Amino acid sequence: MNEKKSPIEAAPGNIVRVSSPVPPQLGRGSLASSKDLDDAYELYRRQDVTDIDPKEAREVLRRIDWHIMPLLMGTYLLQYLDKATVNFASVFGLREGTNLHGQDYSWSLSIFYLGYLVAQWPAGYLLQRLPVAKFIGGSALVWGMLTIVTPACKNFAGIAVNRFLLGCFEAVVNPGFVLVLSMWWRHDEQPMRLTTYYSMNGIAGICGGLLGYAVRSLPNCPQLSILPFIGHITSGLAPWMYIFLIFGSISLAWAIMFLVFMPDLPTTARFLNERQKIVAVERVATNRQGVKNHHFKTYQMWQCLKDPKTWILFVMSIASQIPNAAQSSFTSIILETFGFDVLETQYLQIPGNVVQFCSLLLSGWISSHFPNMRCIVMLIGNLICVGSAAALVGLPVGPYGTENRWGRLVALWLCSFSSVGFSLSLTMVSSNVAGYTKKQLTGAFLFVGYCVGNIIGPQTFIDSEAPFYTSAYIAILISYCLKTIMVAVLYFYMWAVNRKRDRGAATYGSGLSAEQEKEAIEQGMQDVTELDNKGFRYVL
């Protein structure tokens, strides 16, 4: 194997100096402390990207997909099921068994996101300082145990504490997976992988709808039950308790598998040999973001706060999640106000989840196979949501709120396209933010917005407005409009920066010379942010 001719040479005092000339368009020679170098930098030095056989790179990608993606998909599915277990268990007597009255049940849902919100900053810091896979797997173990002990809660106070802690530990998954994406896959590969694991929300929703339908069918048709033994338990624990025990046990077993099989970095992957590890690092080095740097850098924190992208993504996240209540905890209530009976409210949720699942996979495929289409796909998905929300606001509902119910039902299903915009906004962090401290802080800001939106959303459903919920539907329409505007602003901001850098580098289009490309990759492996690395180009 040929030794890589690196432009980095060791210098006294634990300082690394860039010895090769740097193109004037990209900046002058720089000093890089050892803490600036990527955790996978030594492996990166051992191979030049130009020596990698494309067939070899495809084989490494195949191995990564087959080993990493199932772990991400299973974990994402279970974290959704665990936080939504209260919805499934409620039909088995959860509210009665825990003495929940009035708004107690609604608050038990909101408190989850309060915990999620509180945990964002410490989770982001620890994801940088600790091995990523071990931290995510350890968090999964804890939330599995929290799910198992839920039956011990006898009142609202117990449920509130349990849900708050569950939110704290599940807060690790989303930002952690965004970081994992940038460690293992190139820019063009990330949308398909992210939307694939994110689509597990739709699968979980389908399972939940089928379970709810089966439970409601038990009195007349017991053979339809997905979990028939739960519906027929007559002794021992209350039936609702078994839901938590079953899902919690599955999560515990899965968390152990995750800890065993999920590597922290490409350099520690047991399913790759030494040569393949080098190829895996070189593949993602072309992102100009590096793999991971575990040193927290204050200047990147301040740059994150000053970066327009941070605040655009923050507002987008809030706007995308305010309508989420209509797609999750209030769906059954909404369908009931349309005039459907209790059984129908269960299975009529399934088409919306199918729309979510299919739209996510389609958007991921388009974004991965056609360059610079992410914002366009987000805009299309958001515009569908705007039209659907306008139908919910504008269609006549009659004196009892039951007119035009099928038209409004289809509009509600189409609102599931909102997942397209939010999921691809996550790739804006994984693909368009460099500097590990800055990346994890930007992700934290995005998920703070996610929590704020999910806390606000349920409050727009005002009991006194039932069955019309006028304020909620207007809030949904305004949120989708705001989100659409923010996507357009983000697109034009990044396009303008790319164009300015292209002019400064004296290149045509968005291409860089071979020397400039090499220097941009080198700076990425030195944990340089996308604002400081003039060879960085945003993926649109």
Side-chain angles (χ1 to χ4, degrees):
M1 192 188 318
N2 294 332
E3 188 76 1
K4 180 172 180 169
K5 297 180 181 179
S6 171
I8 304 294
E9 295 179 354
N14 202 30
I15 295 293
V16 180
R17 182 181 298 274
V18 180
S19 57
S20 63
V22 180
Q25 298 93 334
L26 297 177
R28 59 191 180 189
S30 60
L31 290 176
S33 168
S34 59
K35 72 177 183 179
D36 294 326
L37 300 182
D38 195 88
D39 288 2
Y41 186 78
E42 287 303 318
L43 203 63
Y44 160 76
R45 291 183 64 186
R46 291 165 54 185
Q47 172 68 44
D48 195 308
V49 70
T50 57
D51 295 334
I52 294 178
D53 180 8
K55 183 179 179 180
E56 184 180 28
R58 287 193 297 271
E59 171 61 20
V60 171
L61 175 61
R62 186 188 68 81
R63 284 178 171 269
I64 291 171
D65 283 339
W66 278 104
H67 284 80
I68 304 298
M69 281 304 300
L71 293 171
L72 301 186
M73 292 166 66
T75 304
Y76 213 79
L77 174 68
L78 288 171
Q79 67 93 26
Y80 182 89
L81 286 173
D82 281 354
K83 72 181 178 183
T85 301
V86 290
N87 296 324
F88 307 146
S90 63
V91 299
F92 288 110
L94 167 69
R95 287 173 287 183
E96 295 79 10
T98 54
N99 298 305
L100 300 182
H101 305 287
Q103 291 295 110
D104 289 348
Y105 179 72
S106 297
W107 274 110
S108 71
L109 301 175
S110 296
I111 285 172
F112 173 88
Y113 291 102
L114 290 174
Y116 205 107
L117 176 63
V118 169
Q120 278 306 302
W121 303 115
Y125 178 77
L126 292 173
L127 280 167
Q128 180 173 19
R129 297 292 295 173
L130 301 177
V132 171
K134 302 298 185 295
F135 186 40
I136 295 175
S139 298
L141 275 175
V142 175
W143 90 55
M145 289 186 284
L146 286 168
T147 303
I148 285 178
V149 302
T150 304
C153 302
K154 303 300 182 185
N155 50 40
F156 173 71
I159 285 287
V161 171
N162 180 276
R163 296 286 295 173
F164 181 84
L165 292 175
L166 188 66
C168 288
F169 285 95
E170 289 201 14
V172 175
V173 175
N174 268 312
F177 279 13
V178 170
L179 298 177
V180 168
L181 274 179
S182 61
M183 291 181 186
W184 292 96
W185 289 283
R186 298 198 316 257
H187 286 160
D188 59 316
E189 299 162 350
Q190 291 174 14
M192 189 71 246
R193 275 72 184 179
L194 187 144
T195 54
T196 298
Y197 76 68
Y198 198 87
S199 68
M200 292 300 101
N201 283 350
I203 297 296
I206 292 170
C207 293
L210 290 172
L211 177 60
Y213 178 81
V215 169
R216 293 297 184 181
S217 301
L218 277 176
N220 299 319
C221 194
Q223 66 269 23
L224 288 176
S225 177
I226 296 174
L227 300 175
F229 56 90
I230 292 178
H232 295 288
I233 291 174
T234 58
S235 61
L237 298 175
W240 67 267
M241 295 183 178
Y242 285 92
I243 297 288
F244 290 97
L245 294 176
I246 291 169
F247 285 146
S249 298
I250 294 173
S251 293
L252 275 179
W254 183 264
I256 294 172
M257 289 180 57
F258 190 92
L259 284 168
V260 172
F261 294 107
M262 182 69 185
D264 296 302
L265 292 167
T267 55
T268 61
R270 286 176 292 181
F271 60 86
L272 300 176
N273 60 35
E274 285 304 307
R275 169 64 182 175
Q276 290 169 336
K277 291 177 183 178
I278 294 172
V279 174
V281 171
E282 283 285 356
R283 276 177 19 86
V284 296
T286 59
N287 292 342
R288 308 167 198 174
Q289 296 173 303
V291 179
K292 182 181 180 181
N293 187 298
H294 64 275
H295 296 282
F296 185 89
K297 299 177 181 178
T298 305
Y299 90 91
Q300 292 190 12
M301 177 187 72
W302 292 116
Q303 190 177 106
C304 173
L305 293 173
K306 297 176 183 178
D307 190 346
K309 297 195 304 298
T310 301
W311 300 105
I312 295 171
L313 289 169
F314 177 72
V315 174
M316 281 173 54
S317 185
I318 294 176
S320 71
Q321 295 306 308
I322 289 176
N324 190 49
Q327 298 294 315
S328 55
S329 54
F330 277 87
T331 308
S332 295
I333 296 173
I334 291 173
L335 294 181
E336 196 170 24
T337 65
F338 286 1
F340 297 106
D341 62 34
V342 174
L343 187 60
E344 290 173 327
T345 64
Q346 299 300 305
Y347 66 75
L348 287 177
Q349 297 181 46
I350 295 174
N353 290 299
V354 173
V355 169
Q356 180 187 42
F357 177 77
C358 296
S359 63
L360 282 168
L361 293 183
L362 178 61
S363 64
W365 185 86
I366 293 173
S367 300
S368 291
H369 286 79
F370 299 95
N372 293 322
M373 282 291 293
R374 297 184 197 185
C375 287
I376 301 299
V377 171
M378 291 167 70
L379 283 170
I380 293 173
N382 289 342
L383 289 173
I384 292 174
C385 291
V386 169
S388 302
L392 290 173
V393 172
L395 285 176
V397 299
Y400 302 105
T402 57
E403 293 183 10
N404 291 305
R405 64 176 184 172
W406 288 105
R408 290 187 291 149
L409 177 61
V410 172
L412 189 64
W413 288 342
L414 292 178
C415 284
S416 295
F417 271 88
S418 62
S419 294
V420 171
F422 182 72
S423 62
L424 290 181
S425 71
L426 299 182
T427 69
M428 293 298 165
V429 179
S430 63
S431 299
N432 286 333
V433 181
Y436 206 81
T437 298
K438 185 180 180 185
K439 184 190 293 288
Q440 60 93 358
L441 286 175
T442 304
F445 265 103
L446 188 148
F447 286 109
V448 166
Y450 168 87
C451 296
V452 171
N454 275 292
I455 292 171
I456 293 173
Q459 308 308 317
T460 64
F461 285 85
I462 303 170
D463 288 341
S464 61
E465 293 185 352
F468 308 104
Y469 293 121
T470 304
S471 297
Y473 296 136
I474 292 175
I476 289 171
L477 177 58
I478 293 173
S479 297
Y480 284 144
C481 290
L482 177 60
K483 181 183 174 186
T484 303
I485 292 170
M486 288 295 102
V487 172
V489 171
L490 180 65
Y491 175 85
F492 285 112
Y493 169 77
M494 295 190 300
W495 173 82
V497 172
N498 282 354
R499 187 179 182 188
K500 181 179 179 181
R501 288 185 172 182
D502 286 342
R503 289 200 303 263
T507 61
Y508 296 97
S510 58
L512 294 172
S513 69
E515 187 67 21
Q516 291 169 333
E517 177 73 22
K518 183 176 181 180
E519 178 61 22
I521 293 173
E522 186 66 49
Q523 290 193 21
M525 296 301 291
Q526 292 181 36
D527 201 40
V528 176
T529 69
E530 81 283 4
L531 296 185
D532 295 330
N533 185 352
K534 302 307 178 184
F536 190 96
R537 295 296 183 271
Y538 291 118
V539 181
L540 304 177

